[in-house]
Amino acid sequence: MNHTAITIEIFCLLLFVAACTEKEQPAARKSEVISPAADIKFTEITERAGIDFRHQSGAYGEFFMPEIMGGGAAFIDYDRDNLQDILLVGGGAWEKSETQHVPSLRLYRNRGDGTFVEQTKATGLDKVSAYGFGITVGDYDRDGDDDFYVTALEENLLLRNDGGKFTEVAQATGTAGEKVWSTASIFTDVDKDGYLDLFVGNYIKWSQAIDRNVFCSLDGVNDNYCHPNLYEGEQGVFYYNNGDGTFSEQTRARGFTGVGDVAPLKTLGIVSVDFDKNGYPDLVLANDMQPDLLFQNNGDGTFREVGTQAGIAYNQKGQPRAGMGIAAGDLDNSGYESIAIGNFSRQPISLYRALPGGTFKDNAYASRVGKPSFLTLTFGITLVDADLDGDLDMFTANGHVFTDIAKKAANISYKQAPHFFVNNGKSVFTDEAAKIGGLMQQKMVARGSAYADIDLDGDLDLLVTENNGAVHLLRNDTETNNRFLRILVQSETGNPNAIDALLTVFYDGKKQMRRVKSSDSYLSQSEFPVTFGLGNATIIDSLRIEPAGKGKTRIYRDLAVDTFYKISEDSDQISIIEK
């Protein structure tokens, strides 16, 4: 294969393992670590559940950049039976790929008996065609069922749910976008008018011609994938929901553009928080070799970028990291949401602990996630209370992008095992992946991750995608006497999914805060219901719901443990969802 233009040597190309490499820091004092009370266990049930999916990148030897990224996954209750269904991004093919017929999407309906049945064709999703990447779910048209948005290599897709069948309406709604490479996206109601708006993160300016004309190598002899610094970044786009089934592009008007470093470029992860506690959603963007950005909502649906002031934009050397997936949650039950961002190998996971006053401190090493994650390349990050002990643990999906990275760095592999960081309740973690075993010890080229209670037994199960590989459904089989409380919040006046509603449960002199989330991790969507692990508590003092819309805060009492409730954030309507 002939390549012209420029040749990039490894020491100039791979800033990930050179200029931007960070020094490994010492671990926190061992006295800070408390062993977990329960032995966490996950069992892979993909095959027995009837899921026969494999992602395809289309790779055939020309090393096109999109092939390294992989796809996300989503849990979606598309048929409104309170069982979480699974939606997967198939990948894509090129004109010379060995396999040409790659399904863009595959949908598996949850039967409720531990098995799933494919419903791609029955729901009309077999007609969709795109080289896809990410998914975000939300009821954008307020008709009571969940729609979803798919980011793709060229124009994006918006799939409207019409009673369990899907119609692609991106062009008609004004959300298809330009023919650019889009990655992460998120639904959020920026001005609390009850309609979900949409932010779409784009990656790089790319074409097949670029990669055909550039030689990128790890060993100076063999071709490989190029570093993203070779490409110009692509600007993200904000779409405002007009309330009539259409959207208006309002990126500049809402404050999502900037000069130089503050522009949202090369975005691979987006999450919603309310770091200043004004009741309006702020957006955090993880960007690849660009500063990570924090867009603060002014309280009227317009934004200003404050990432540098807040302390999340750069590492301690003042350099941007290779931000991949992202997650946010209250890791120490302080009432403040911390932010976790996956980075490249030789860049530890960023773990920004929220401080009063709207700033953050990178606590990766103090929290003991820095050293174990120093050599891994983390894409997906999922925060989940796996053992229901009352604090959020952290699963990370790891895998490199350079197929022969071991030739240059003997201690870094292409396929990598996950991390599973167990929280001691104070945001200090122990990596228990090897102890848990099974898939947690399996080396993969992992990408997306998401959680849901697929069997309605109260604990949270995991879904993990691989690039150019299988998907993995992990059932949580942790044996524990810990109790739980699950809440599905819905809204008649706010956005129907109650995305960004804030729930706080009070029990045994303790409290926990959780947010109803749109997409997070890497290009993935977890379920909307909120799960609280209660430890050995048998009585719940109260549950407070601060609405996503403009309604009033409500307090609920006399709730039973080990129960799944459906609650309206607009009224006192409450019911129990049975298994």
Side-chain angles (χ1 to χ4, degrees), residues 172-195:
T173 59
T175 58
E178 302 296 327
K179 291 186 176 182
V180 300
W181 181 356
S182 298
T183 46
S185 61
I186 190 169
F187 278 122
T188 183
D189 183 1
V190 300
D191 57 0
K192 303 178 75 165
D193 66 350
Y195 291 91

Side-chain angles (χ1 to χ4, degrees), residues 18 93 128 135 151 210 239 241 296 328 334 349 351 395 432 469 500 527 544 565 572 575:
V128 173
I135 305 173
T151 56
I210 292 176
Y239 298 101
N241 193 326
Q296 181 179 24
S334 64
I349 290 171
L351 187 57
F395 170 84
E432 296 285 342
D500 288 319
E527 66 173 0
R544 182 178 70 205
Y565 289 99
D572 293 324
S575 60

Side-chain angles (χ1 to χ4, degrees), residues 248-360:
S248 299
E249 188 274 305
Q250 296 187 8
T251 310
R252 181 173 297 278
R254 296 285 168 170
F256 287 110
T257 55
V259 178
D261 287 347
V262 300
L265 303 170
K266 300 185 181 180
T267 300
L268 292 176
I270 310 174
V271 72
S272 174
V273 297
D274 181 13
F275 83 103
D276 56 2
K277 294 187 174 295
N278 69 348
Y280 284 78
D282 312 302
L283 294 181
V284 189
L285 276 60
N287 304 308
D288 191 0
M289 297 308 298
Q290 298 287 316
D292 295 326
L293 304 178
L294 173 55
F295 285 97
Q296 181 179 24
N297 194 320
N298 296 317
D300 59 2
T302 65
F303 293 78
R304 65 189 186 102
E305 204 286 310
V306 297
T308 300
Q309 301 94 301
I312 72 161
Y314 303 94
N315 66 12
Q316 293 177 344
K317 296 181 179 180
Q319 299 168 329
R321 287 169 166 164
M324 307 291 182
I326 186 171
D330 186 355
L331 297 178
D332 54 6
N333 292 330
S334 64
Y336 293 91
E337 295 170 287
S338 295
I339 300 167
I341 300 176
N343 295 309
F344 211 81
S345 49
R346 294 185 180 170
Q347 295 177 354
I349 290 171
S350 302
L351 187 57
Y352 295 108
R353 183 177 183 272
L355 303 174
T359 59
F360 295 84

Side-chain angles (χ1 to χ4, degrees), residues 66-319:
E67 297 166 0
I68 71 175
M69 303 310 290
F75 284 108
I76 177 174
D77 182 11
Y78 83 97
D79 53 1
R80 296 185 290 178
D81 63 354
N82 297 314
L83 294 169
Q84 294 297 316
D85 311 304
I86 292 175
L87 181 62
L88 300 169
V89 178
W94 315 109
E95 63 274 11
K96 295 182 181 179
S97 297
E98 181 177 345
T99 300
Q100 286 294 312
H101 302 291
V102 178
S104 298
L105 297 164
R106 293 182 69 181
L107 176 65
Y108 295 86
R109 181 175 63 82
N110 190 336
R111 286 185 169 127
D113 61 358
T115 66
F116 292 74
V117 59
E118 185 168 2
Q119 295 288 283
T120 307
K121 185 174 182 179
T123 57
L125 294 179
D126 61 319
K127 299 179 177 66
V128 173
S129 180
Y131 194 128
F133 290 96
I135 305 173
T136 186
V137 177
D139 184 1
Y140 83 92
D141 54 1
R142 294 177 51 86
D143 67 348
D145 50 28
D146 285 343
D147 318 296
F148 65 93
Y149 189 79
V150 179
T151 56
L153 190 56
E154 291 191 340
E155 294 183 356
N156 301 318
L157 310 172
L158 178 59
L159 282 303
R160 187 185 66 211
N161 190 340
D162 297 320
K165 291 185 179 294
F166 291 94
T167 305
E168 205 291 298
V169 295
Q171 283 288 352
T173 59
T175 58
E178 302 296 327
K179 291 186 176 182
V180 300
W181 181 356
S182 298
T183 46
S185 61
I186 190 169
F187 278 122
T188 183
D189 183 1
V190 300
D191 57 0
K192 303 178 75 165
D193 66 350
Y195 291 91
L196 287 172
D197 310 302
L198 176 66
F199 187 92
V200 179
N202 294 323
Y203 191 44
I204 58 174
K205 297 183 186 297
W206 179 87
S207 70
Q208 293 184 44
I210 292 176
D211 281 350
R212 283 186 172 128
N213 289 321
V214 178
F215 178 71
C216 298
S217 176
L218 294 177
D219 57 12
V221 177
N222 298 297
D223 199 3
N224 210 295
Y225 295 102
C226 292
H227 187 294
N229 274 3
L230 183 66
Y231 310 88
E232 184 180 351
E234 192 70 63
Q235 166 79 52
V237 180
F238 175 77
Y239 298 101
Y240 182 74
N241 193 326
N242 298 321
D244 60 0
T246 67
F247 292 76
S248 299
E249 188 274 305
Q250 296 187 8
T251 310
R252 181 173 297 278
R254 296 285 168 170
F256 287 110
T257 55
V259 178
D261 287 347
V262 300
L265 303 170
K266 300 185 181 180
T267 300
L268 292 176
I270 310 174
V271 72
S272 174
V273 297
D274 181 13
F275 83 103
D276 56 2
K277 294 187 174 295
N278 69 348
Y280 284 78
D282 312 302
L283 294 181
V284 189
L285 276 60
N287 304 308
D288 191 0
M289 297 308 298
Q290 298 287 316
D292 295 326
L293 304 178
L294 173 55
F295 285 97
Q296 181 179 24
N297 194 320
N298 296 317
D300 59 2
T302 65
F303 293 78
R304 65 189 186 102
E305 204 286 310
V306 297
T308 300
Q309 301 94 301
I312 72 161
Y314 303 94
N315 66 12
Q316 293 177 344
K317 296 181 179 180
Q319 299 168 329

Side-chain angles (χ1 to χ4, degrees), residues 311-524:
I312 72 161
Y314 303 94
N315 66 12
Q316 293 177 344
K317 296 181 179 180
Q319 299 168 329
R321 287 169 166 164
M324 307 291 182
I326 186 171
D330 186 355
L331 297 178
D332 54 6
N333 292 330
S334 64
Y336 293 91
E337 295 170 287
S338 295
I339 300 167
I341 300 176
N343 295 309
F344 211 81
S345 49
R346 294 185 180 170
Q347 295 177 354
I349 290 171
S350 302
L351 187 57
Y352 295 108
R353 183 177 183 272
L355 303 174
T359 59
F360 295 84
K361 178 183 179 182
D362 191 351
N363 258 21
Y365 285 98
S367 292
R368 298 183 67 87
V369 303
K371 186 173 182 179
S373 68
F374 185 72
L375 293 179
T376 50
L377 196 166
T378 295
F379 275 83
I381 295 187
T382 294
L383 301 179
V384 56
D385 185 355
D387 49 5
L388 301 175
D389 65 349
D391 51 53
L392 291 171
D393 310 304
M394 183 190 306
F395 170 84
T396 76
N398 306 321
H400 218 279
V401 296
F402 298 120
T403 55
D404 55 354
I405 183 64
K407 292 181 179 179
K408 188 63 181 180
N411 56 354
I412 299 175
S413 61
Y414 177 55
K415 293 184 176 182
Q416 301 176 356
H419 296 299
F420 198 99
F421 294 106
V422 178
N423 194 340
N424 75 347
K426 299 179 181 179
S427 191
V428 177
F429 296 85
T430 304
D431 187 0
E432 296 285 342
K435 180 180 179 182
I436 295 169
L439 190 84
M440 301 298 170
Q441 287 183 302
Q442 181 175 323
K443 290 188 175 183
M444 302 176 287
V445 187
R447 292 297 185 254
S449 57
Y451 66 79
D453 182 3
I454 61 169
D455 46 11
L456 297 182
D457 65 350
D459 57 25
L460 294 173
D461 313 294
L462 287 173
L463 187 67
V464 185
T465 70
E466 288 192 70
N467 182 35
N468 213 34
V471 69
H472 304 276
L473 180 60
L474 306 179
R475 186 183 64 211
N476 190 337
D477 288 334
T478 302
E479 295 182 7
T480 176
N481 293 321
N482 290 338
R483 307 302 185 98
F484 67 86
L485 175 67
R486 280 175 51 79
I487 307 293
L488 172 62
V489 187
Q490 296 183 326
S491 177
E492 290 80 42
T493 59
N495 74 84
N497 305 106
I499 291 171
D500 288 319
L502 201 63
L503 284 66
T504 306
V505 64
F506 299 85
Y507 64 102
D508 272 0
K510 304 173 184 177
K511 70 176 182 178
Q512 292 180 51
M513 179 189 74
R514 300 284 185 267
R515 176 181 300 276
V516 180
K517 299 191 303 183
S518 182
S519 56
D520 66 354
S521 184
Y522 174 73
L523 314 185
S524 297

